[in-house]
Amino acid sequence: MKVIVYPGSFDPITNGHLQIAKEALKSFDKVILLVANNNNKKERFTNLERYEMVKGAVEGIEGLEAARTDGMTVDFLKKEGTCYLLRGIRNNLDMKYEEDYAKQIHAMDKSVEFVYIASSEEYSSISSTSIHEMALAKKDIDKYVPKSVVERYKKAVRS
Ligand code: ADP
């Protein structure tokens, strides 16, 4: 079985992330969305909360799976017995960022093979940050995120 790991903050997961994962299913049997911690970013949701939103988002989609780690992505890849790592590209800024990210990963494990998928125009302007800002401003986010994220924001507002 051909497995690829898609690591990210997913803070929160958006339809843009999901589109990349679904696209990868054309070449891989299983895509694992791995909720990881990015030390360079101040996280809005805990690792568990982010994981729960991802889990809800992939429910019922054959071939997509959710996982979480507080450890290193390279260790997770080894545990899954795969060398394939998936990332999404929206624009030039992402490309620059991904270049640095790939260097960091390769410094830890040279055997990792990166697979990049470009976002379709429809999703290229969606970011976790813009979704978060819209949600805080009480704007409608339903079009841009899975249901699990909409529900999570409703909870956050309630409490
Ligand atoms: P990280 O903190 O590891 O960058 P993110 O959740 O921000 O985690 O992003 C994970 C990956 O998904 C990155 O490769 C990012 O470029 C990509 N990505 C994020 N949003 C989109 C989108 N709307 N379309 C395509 N790729 C995206």
Side-chain angles (χ1 to χ4, degrees):
M1 194 198 275
K2 222 171 151 194
V3 178
I4 189 163
V5 175
Y6 182 17
S9 308
F10 301 112
D11 193 26
I13 183 167
T14 69
N15 289 344
H17 289 120
L18 259 188
Q19 185 244 341
I20 298 295
K22 284 181 187 164
E23 200 64 32
L25 278 180
K26 291 180 183 164
S27 318
F28 289 84
D29 302 305
K30 186 159 93 174
V31 179
I32 306 175
L33 288 85
L34 176 66
V35 178
N37 301 327
N38 184 335
N39 295 330
N40 301 316
K41 288 184 182 169
K42 197 175 167 289
E43 270 131 16
R44 305 168 187 111
F45 293 102
T46 65
N47 186 290
L48 182 61
E49 287 168 340
R50 288 180 279 131
Y51 166 73
E52 279 167 353
M53 287 185 271
V54 172
K55 197 163 169 276
V58 300
E59 219 169 66
I61 307 176
E62 213 185 312
L64 295 192
E65 254 182 50
R68 60 186 284 246
T69 183
D70 284 316
M72 309 299 273
T73 295
V74 287
D75 293 337
F76 186 86
L77 265 98
K78 267 193 207 116
K79 188 173 76 92
E80 289 298 324
T82 182
C83 64
Y84 296 110
L85 194 159
L86 174 66
R87 297 287 284 180
I89 306 272
R90 284 163 293 187
N91 47 41
N92 283 345
L93 217 68
D94 274 355
M95 260 152 98
K96 180 75 204 103
Y97 179 80
E98 292 303 327
E99 208 181 311
D100 293 339
Y101 178 76
K103 276 184 197 152
Q104 284 170 30
I105 293 284
H106 274 160
M108 289 181 268
D109 187 344
K110 279 206 164 48
S111 68
V112 174
E113 297 275 350
F114 285 85
V115 174
Y116 297 102
I117 294 182
S119 66
S120 63
E121 217 179 309
E122 192 188 346
Y123 296 110
S124 64
S125 58
I126 305 177
S127 70
S128 299
T129 303
S130 63
I131 293 300
H132 187 69
E133 280 165 8
M134 282 172 74
L136 290 188
K138 305 230 173 354
K139 295 245 176 2
D140 227 352
I141 56 169
D142 305 43
K143 266 195 299 195
Y144 310 111
V145 291
K147 221 173 162 179
S148 56
V149 175
V150 177
E151 294 304 316
R152 184 65 192 76
Y153 272 108
K154 278 187 192 154
K155 253 205 263 174
V157 170
R158 238 182 270 130
S159 57

